[in-house]
């Protein structure tokens, strides 16, 4: 008995040790399993695709036509959720990419009072250009594919639910050699529909057993075979046996409605299965577009680490007055991606006639601030001064009255416009890129500057942009490419009771000339803050969703339409596969708005070359992290 006492005591000790190990290992396993292989889930650029539909009939761009107005109806807004991981063992449907919200038009309270929208006359050189201006990417010759009318409608319906994934999947559709596999599936489909009726017949026990066995054999083969090359050598014999069994089943007298009902059940199940796989694929596509590749994440972390190893880089090379002198050409870039910001600056200075006269201000978040500083301190861009600003710290220290302190990049929206009179004939989907909440604080951050050009970090400059500084914008504030495919009257359900011109066109971010003096004169930031108070901000999704209406209302009648010639900005390189290469080559700037960014694997291959040629490649950290966009 005495010999067994140590053994009894050893048991609880082992159990206690196992519990301690589990308490340490389980959290680590959870942390490392949060991101799929090859990607790191970050907030580098979380996008939303917001759908606005059930609008007025689409008015022709020329100005005439269109049906009469209808009463506003509740708007359905589909907002993309932040990426989530699907566990390998999960068999259920992945989390939905869009959350459907039915809501009435935005309510407007009496307090506070919104500043009146200024009415200004455009200069003679551009007067009337608003009526003629359309988005550049819609005004070019596209490489149209021969699609049937029903295929076009199916593509529109797919985009409504899954967004630009449908465009990507159409281009990357794999032609599989599976004619025999499809024949097996057809046989299995018919056999399953007859089997319940045959099993109820008296005297057909042998046929019932034979049909059951053939169905099981087909299911076993199809579970391991996706293409004809995967099929076993004896498959032709199985096909003949099933054909013979189906022929005998058809010769029996059965109730037709039972067979039809079973066929419909199988068809519904097949449709549900196809939709499930579509949702799963769209979820993975959105996950890939919203997550930063691990190689890029490694690159950013290495730069941050090297910054703290190099204290000599802590001081700015250029004096502060260089960044505050209004005589220089100042560019403002909002970015959380080092390589993306680098391409924007490099492409701008390379094509500039006076690169040393350009000054670049990069607004980034606290996470990427030090990596950005180290990268741009090590690399020279034709002696152009580069000022990296910690946006969040700037708002917290110098602008504490502003509650929105997180850095938001330009917001991207997917807009469905459907005629209430002929919804199937006049339905189109447009993609817009507008200012985020962070853009409205630029005049407060750069109080000494009078004029800036705001560039998105997914822009590539191909021409000298000095002409933008020579534009006579009159009393206008924002020089932008107008997008008359969407007018304010068509989205009035989202604009509340604020007064606006229903024929005013939407506009695009990407390359925007901002007159900061006129901005302050018209009190754009103050007006934006008053409009923001009227928005019901339940969470971050609703806050970012509100950027659509706030951007359009804040700059109403203050948009200066940029010219539509070879000096214009071409949009759509992040979703549109039909852009003419000649037009892309001749445009002053290319805007990769959409989910398929050029630094992602999902990027459109034909358009990546424009981005890659301005990428700084000779860097040891890029090689160590295996960065190869």
């Amino acid at each position: 008995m005495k010999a067994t006492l140590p053994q009894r005591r050893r048991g609880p000790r082992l159990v206690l040790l196992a519990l301690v190990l589990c308490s340490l290992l389980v959290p680590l396993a959870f942390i490392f399993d949060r991101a799929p292989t090859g990607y790191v889930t970050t907030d580098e650029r979380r996008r939303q695709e917001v759908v606005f539909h059930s609008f007025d009939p689409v008015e022709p761009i020329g100005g005439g036509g269109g049906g009469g107005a209808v009463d506003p109806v509740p708007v359905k807004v589909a907002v993309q959720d932040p990426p989530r991981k699907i566990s390998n063992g999960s068999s259920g449907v992945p989390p939905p990419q869009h959350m459907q919200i039915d809501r009435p038009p935005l309510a407007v309270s009496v307090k506070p009072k919104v500043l009146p929208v200024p009415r200004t006359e455009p200069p003679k050189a551009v007067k009337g250009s608003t009526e003629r201006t359309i988005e550049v990417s819609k005004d070019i010759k596209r490489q149209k594919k021969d699609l049937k009318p029903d295929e076009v409608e199916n593509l529109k319906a797919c985009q409504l639910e899954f967004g630009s994934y449908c465009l990507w999947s159409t281009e990357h559709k794999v032609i599989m050699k599976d004619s025999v596999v499809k024949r097996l599936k057809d046989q299995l489909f018919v056999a399953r529909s007859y089997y319940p009726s045959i099993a109820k017949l008296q005297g057909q026990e042998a046929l019932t057993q034979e049909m059951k066995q053939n169905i099981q054999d087909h299911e076993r083969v199809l579970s391991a075979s996706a293409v004809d090359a995967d099929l076993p050598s004896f498959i032709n014999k199985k096909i003949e046996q099933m054909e013979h069994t189906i022929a005998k089943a058809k010769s029996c007298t059965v109730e037709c409605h039972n067979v039809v009902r079973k066929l419909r059940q199988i068809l519904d199940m097949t449709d549900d299965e196809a939709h499930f796989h579509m949702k799963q694929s769209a979820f993975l596509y959105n996950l890939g577009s919203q997550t930063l590749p691990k190689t890029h994440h490694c690159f950013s972390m290495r730069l941050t680490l090297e910054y703290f190893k190099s204290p000599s880089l802590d001081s700015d090379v250029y004096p502060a007055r260089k960044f505050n002198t209004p005589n220089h050409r100042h560019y403002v870039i909002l970015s959380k991606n080092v390589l993306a910001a680098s391409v924007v600056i490099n492409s701008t200075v390379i094509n500039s006639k006076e690169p040393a006269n350009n000054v670049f201000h990069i607004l980034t978040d606290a996470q990427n601030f030090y990596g950005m500083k180290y990268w741009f301190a090590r690399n020279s861009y034709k002696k152009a001064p580069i000022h990296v600003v910690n946006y969040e710290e700037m708002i917290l220290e110098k602008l504490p009255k502003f509650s929105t302190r997180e850095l938001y990049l330009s917001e991207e929206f997917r807009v469905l416009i459907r005629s209430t009179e002929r919804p199937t004939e006049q339905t189109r989907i447009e993609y817009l890129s507008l200012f985020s909440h962070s853009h409205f604080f630029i005049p407060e951050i750069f109080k000494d500057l009078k004029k800036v050009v705001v560039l998105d970090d997914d822009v590539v400059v191909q021409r000298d942009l000095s002409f933008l500084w020579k534009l006579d914008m009159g009393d206008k504030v924002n020089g932008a490419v107008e997008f008359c495919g969407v007018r304010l009257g068509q989205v009035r359900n989202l604009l509340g009771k604020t007064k606006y011109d229903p024929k005013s066109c939407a506009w695009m971010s990407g390359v925007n000339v901002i007159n900061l003096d006129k901005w302050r004169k018209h009190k754009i930031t103050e007006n934006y803050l008053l409009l923001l108070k009227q928005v019901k901000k339940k969470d971050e999704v609703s806050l970012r969703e509100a950027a659509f209406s706030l951007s359009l209302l804040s700059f109403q009648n203050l948009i200066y339409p940029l010219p539509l010639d070879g000096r214009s900005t071409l949009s759509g390189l992040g979703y549109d596969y039909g852009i003419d290469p000649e037009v892309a080559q001749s445009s002053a700037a290319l805007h990769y708005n959409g989910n398929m960014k050029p630094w992602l694997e999902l990027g459109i291959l034909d358009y990546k070359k424009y981005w890659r040629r301005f990428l700084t490649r000779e860097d040891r950290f890029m090689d160590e992290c295996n960065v190869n966009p």
Side-chain angles (χ1 to χ4, degrees), residues 233-274:
S233 57
F234 55 83
I235 193 62
N236 290 330
K237 182 178 179 181
K238 294 292 183 182
I239 292 176
E240 293 177 1
Q241 291 177 353
M242 180 63 89
E243 287 286 356
H244 182 67
T245 302
I246 292 176
K248 290 194 294 184
K250 289 182 177 180
S251 64
C252 298
T253 302
V254 296
E255 294 290 340
C256 292
H257 67 274
N258 291 334
V259 177
V260 172
R261 185 174 66 253
K262 188 62 179 178
L263 283 171
R264 286 178 177 173
Q265 291 177 356
I266 298 176
L267 179 60
D268 292 340
M269 291 175 60
T270 305
D271 289 340
D272 292 341
E273 184 179 0

Side-chain angles (χ1 to χ4, degrees), residues 255-547:
E255 294 290 340
C256 292
H257 67 274
N258 291 334
V259 177
V260 172
R261 185 174 66 253
K262 188 62 179 178
L263 283 171
R264 286 178 177 173
Q265 291 177 356
I266 298 176
L267 179 60
D268 292 340
M269 291 175 60
T270 305
D271 289 340
D272 292 341
E273 184 179 0
H275 189 261
F276 165 80
H277 288 298
M278 180 73 79
K279 288 183 66 175
Q280 208 169 37
S281 300
F283 173 77
L284 295 175
Y285 164 83
N286 287 316
L287 182 66
S289 66
Q290 296 164 18
T291 51
L292 189 67
K294 278 188 175 180
T295 55
H296 290 240
H297 184 71
C298 164
F299 177 63
S300 179
M301 293 298 100
R302 285 301 306 272
L303 293 177
T304 302
L305 180 62
E306 291 298 322
Y307 172 85
F308 289 102
K309 288 183 178 180
S310 306
S312 59
L313 294 176
D314 196 33
S315 59
D316 291 323
V317 178
Y318 300 95
R321 64 178 182 273
K322 187 79 172 180
F323 300 123
N324 299 326
T325 304
N327 297 332
H328 296 290
R329 296 168 181 169
H330 293 264
Y331 295 86
V332 177
I333 304 169
L334 283 71
S335 179
K336 302 177 184 179
N337 188 323
V338 177
L339 293 182
S342 176
V343 168
V344 177
I345 295 176
N346 198 29
S347 63
T348 303
V349 298
I350 286 179
N351 293 285
S352 176
K353 296 179 180 178
E354 302 178 47
N357 196 30
N358 298 327
V359 178
F360 295 91
H361 306 268
I362 303 176
L363 301 181
T364 189
D365 59 353
Q367 177 180 340
N368 296 279
F369 172 68
Y370 298 103
M372 287 267 193
K373 288 200 64 145
Y374 183 76
W375 172 263
F376 289 106
R378 292 179 66 246
N379 294 275
S380 176
Y381 296 85
K382 290 193 173 184
K383 298 182 179 180
I386 299 175
H387 182 207
V388 181
V389 180
N390 187 338
Y391 174 86
E392 297 170 356
E393 182 180 349
M394 180 73 68
I395 297 296
L396 181 62
E397 293 182 359
K398 297 186 178 182
L399 305 170
K401 61 180 180 179
F402 298 136
S403 59
T404 308
R405 297 172 181 173
E406 182 180 353
L407 176 65
Y408 292 101
L409 307 183
S410 294
E411 299 288 1
E412 298 176 348
F413 301 89
R414 185 178 82 252
V415 183
L416 169 71
I417 300 179
R418 178 164 52 201
S419 170
T420 54
E421 296 179 352
R422 290 174 290 177
T424 58
E425 297 179 10
Q426 295 186 0
T427 300
R428 53 191 174 86
I429 296 178
E430 307 288 1
Y431 292 80
L432 287 178
S433 178
L434 295 170
F435 279 178
S436 68
H437 298 282
S438 300
H439 286 78
F440 288 93
F441 303 136
I442 291 178
E444 301 295 329
I445 296 175
F446 305 104
K447 292 185 176 181
D448 296 329
L449 302 182
K450 298 180 179 180
K451 190 175 186 179
V452 297
V453 172
V454 180
L455 300 175
D456 285 356
D457 67 348
D458 54 357
V459 166
V460 172
V461 178
Q462 300 187 128
R463 297 287 183 273
D464 180 28
L465 297 182
S466 60
F467 72 95
L468 295 176
W469 304 94
K470 302 175 184 178
L471 294 176
D472 181 12
M473 297 172 55
D475 207 34
K476 302 295 185 180
V477 174
N478 184 359
V481 174
E482 284 195 317
F483 183 81
C484 290
V486 175
R487 297 178 184 270
L488 299 191
Q490 295 171 322
V491 293
R492 66 179 183 273
N493 297 16
L494 297 169
L495 303 182
K497 298 180 181 179
T498 305
K499 293 183 180 180
Y500 58 87
D501 181 4
K503 294 185 178 180
S504 294
C505 298
W507 50 275
M508 297 283 289
S509 68
V511 178
N512 299 87
V513 185
I514 304 298
N515 190 326
L516 296 180
D517 285 341
K518 300 298 182 182
W519 182 304
R520 300 181 183 104
K521 173 185 174 182
H522 294 298
K523 299 182 178 180
I524 300 296
T525 302
E526 290 80 353
N527 196 26
Y528 152 78
L529 292 173
L530 291 176
L531 290 170
L532 182 62
K533 291 181 179 179
Q534 301 170 6
V535 178
K536 296 180 179 179
K537 303 179 290 296
K538 298 180 180 179
D539 49 23
E540 183 187 3
V541 172
S542 61
L543 176 65
R544 296 176 59 222
E545 174 190 318

Side-chain angles (χ1 to χ4, degrees), residues 437 440 528 531-532 535 543 546-555:
H437 298 282
F440 288 93
Y528 152 78
L531 290 170
L532 182 62
V535 178
L543 176 65
F548 183 89
S549 58
L550 295 178
S551 291
L552 294 179
L553 291 174
S554 298
F555 293 101

Side-chain angles (χ1 to χ4, degrees), residues 10-27:
R10 191 179 307 161
R13 293 177 182 175
L14 293 176
V15 173
L16 181 60
L17 180 61
L19 290 175
V20 172
L21 290 175
C22 289
S23 64
L24 294 175
L25 295 178
V26 170

